[in-house]
Amino acid sequence: MSNARALLVALLLFVGVGAVHAAERLAPSCSRDDVGATVTAASPGDVVLIPAGTCSWAVGLAIDKPLTLRGAGQTATVLRDGVPKDSPTQANLILVDDAPGFRLTELTIEGQAQDPDVYNRGHVLIAGATSGFRVDHVTFKDTVTVGVRSVGRSTGLVDHCTFDYDFHGGVDVWHDRWDGGSWGDTSWATPSNFGSDDLVVIEDCAFINRASGAGGFVGVQAGGRAVVRHNHVRADTFFLSGTDSAGRFRGGRHFEVYANRMETNAPSLWTAIAVEGGTGVIFDNVVDSRFSSAVNLEVRRTVNTSAVWGRCNGSNPLDQNSQPNGYACLDMVGRGQGALLGGDTPMPAAWPQQPLEPVYLWNNTFDGGGLVRNGAPNFIAAGREYIVGTPKPGYVPFQYPHPLAVEPDAGVVDGGIGSIGPEPEGQARWLLLGCGCSSSSGLLLWLVPLALVTRRRRSVRGDGDSLSTARSD
């Protein structure tokens, strides 16, 4: 059992055995001062109740102990985030730091203060080693920054949330301080953890992007590890950024993207799932054909020179350079655990011996151009960096719904795919046919397009890049 999971189990046992020591504390109002004073007076394990009302906060709230922060309902308790987004200190409405078992639930957060420089620090920031956190049944409306940002060594669950935004995105996952490291280096020097809960799980959420371009409904970088499953997404893209996207920080490390429903009415969106590095699995997703591709694979350091990482061109000591073009590139698509790098200037300046760990894609439904758009065909090869049509050997998804989404006092499972309401005019309709359940794979939702004839087929724009011919593997 991982240290993070052992800590969570211990915490749950503590809460379960010593429940009489926990208390519900009702804040006098939803104002920042009243909620802050109630949080200060609360003991670890307490539930802080925020009453109904609409309140604007100009100062963020920092929480450093395991609490539940519960509103009176998503339509009843509304917190407007007026915290300055260019602040050199705390720019978040709620900052949770080293508070294992923290929970935020049953309220709405609305954007108010603007973020003109797009710092994107997050309305809710989960930091430090906050294992076993849960953010659920929260509506993020008209957001001016990403809804939830998880950094450090934090792991947990974001579920049954609605993210309604204009470009800024829903959830960011960074594991820059995985097991005591920095920059995401330690995550890249640690084995992949497929089928685990020792990462950030995003499930049963609805993401509605109202911008014409993709902001990233989930973004993963800095060694981030994420599971994205059973979500309903409109007009946005899953992004796993490469090692060149954020200065010294490494790219995303590990992803599992499955059983999502992804649609768009924005023809400028070229892909539903964009991967620039690391390893993962992509399966059982249903993707709208108006995306040019379901999955886009890139290695940007083959065409761009990073100020920190240089370029993968055959002369960079951080790359394998087994071929004249520099292949294999550091942290590229289909690479796994390597030797530890460290320091503000990455050292040692040598290839970290990252083995092949292909991305597996199977049973995805996409009636568009090509399932996979390969943006770096001289570096990424089908059957080597990615494998289409074959499940990953030995892979078993973590149980669904997530155990944290099971309400023990109610005795019921709180599961079900995220919903964003009726489709816009001309969008495809979807039919929930049923589920297949097994002890090894959990619950699987099958979604089938009902009226494909309601939309015009659009051909893939030619750009000189190769497309695979697989459509529904």
Side-chain angles (χ1 to χ4, degrees), residues 134-361:
R134 186 183 182 196
V135 178
D136 66 284
H137 298 90
V138 176
T139 296
F140 293 85
K141 182 179 178 183
D142 299 329
T143 57
V144 296
T145 180
V146 69
V148 178
R149 188 162 177 250
S150 174
V151 302
R153 182 56 172 88
S154 296
T155 56
L157 175 65
V158 179
D159 69 289
H160 296 90
C161 292
T162 297
F163 298 86
D164 187 339
Y165 54 92
D166 185 345
F167 179 73
H168 295 283
V171 182
D172 271 0
V173 179
W174 291 37
H175 282 126
D176 49 311
R177 297 192 177 275
W178 186 268
D179 292 348
S182 299
W183 309 113
D185 291 336
T186 312
S187 181
W188 273 97
T190 304
S192 303
N193 52 344
F194 286 100
S196 168
D197 63 338
D198 189 24
L199 31 64
V200 176
V201 179
I202 301 104
E203 70 184 28
D204 296 315
C205 291
F207 297 88
I208 307 166
N209 178 26
R210 302 194 182 279
S212 59
F217 76 91
V218 173
V220 182
Q221 60 182 328
R225 301 172 180 229
V227 172
V228 181
R229 61 184 185 178
H230 297 274
N231 301 290
H232 190 176
V233 184
R234 179 174 294 160
D236 211 348
T237 298
F238 167 84
F239 276 113
L240 185 133
S241 299
T243 297
D244 70 346
S245 299
R248 171 62 179 84
F249 290 102
R250 304 284 284 274
R253 170 71 176 88
H254 173 111
F255 62 94
E256 299 169 51
V257 179
Y258 59 91
N260 300 287
R261 181 176 17 165
M262 308 176 75
E263 61 195 33
T264 182
N265 55 1
S268 61
L269 293 185
W270 81 100
T271 194
I273 300 168
V275 177
E276 298 179 358
T279 187
V281 292
I282 302 171
F283 64 96
D284 289 345
N285 300 287
V286 178
V287 180
D288 191 328
S289 67
R290 279 169 293 190
F291 287 102
S292 293
S293 63
V295 180
N296 183 76
L297 304 177
E298 294 277 2
V299 185
R300 296 196 179 276
R301 283 184 56 246
T302 64
V303 293
N304 299 327
T305 300
S306 165
V308 175
W309 303 100
R311 187 169 177 176
C312 182
N313 58 6
S315 63
N316 192 325
L318 289 167
D319 301 316
Q320 187 179 22
N321 299 315
S322 65
Q323 296 179 13
N325 63 3
Y327 176 87
C329 306
L330 176 73
D331 299 348
M332 69 174 284
V333 174
R335 293 287 160 167
Q337 176 189 4
L340 179 65
L341 301 179
D344 292 346
T345 299
M347 296 296 291
W351 167 243
Q353 303 297 319
Q354 294 175 328
L356 267 170
E357 197 169 329
V359 175
Y360 283 82
L361 308 93

Side-chain angles (χ1 to χ4, degrees), residues 22 25 44 79 87 95 105 121 123 145-146 175 192 195 221 228 242 249 264 325 334 366 373 382 396 410 452 459 473:
R25 300 175 180 268
L79 304 182
S87 169
L95 165 61
T105 187
R121 292 173 174 166
H123 290 290
T145 180
V146 69
H175 282 126
S192 303
Q221 60 182 328
V228 181
F249 290 102
T264 182
N325 63 3
F366 177 61
R373 175 189 180 274
V396 178
L452 295 177
S459 62
D473 292 306

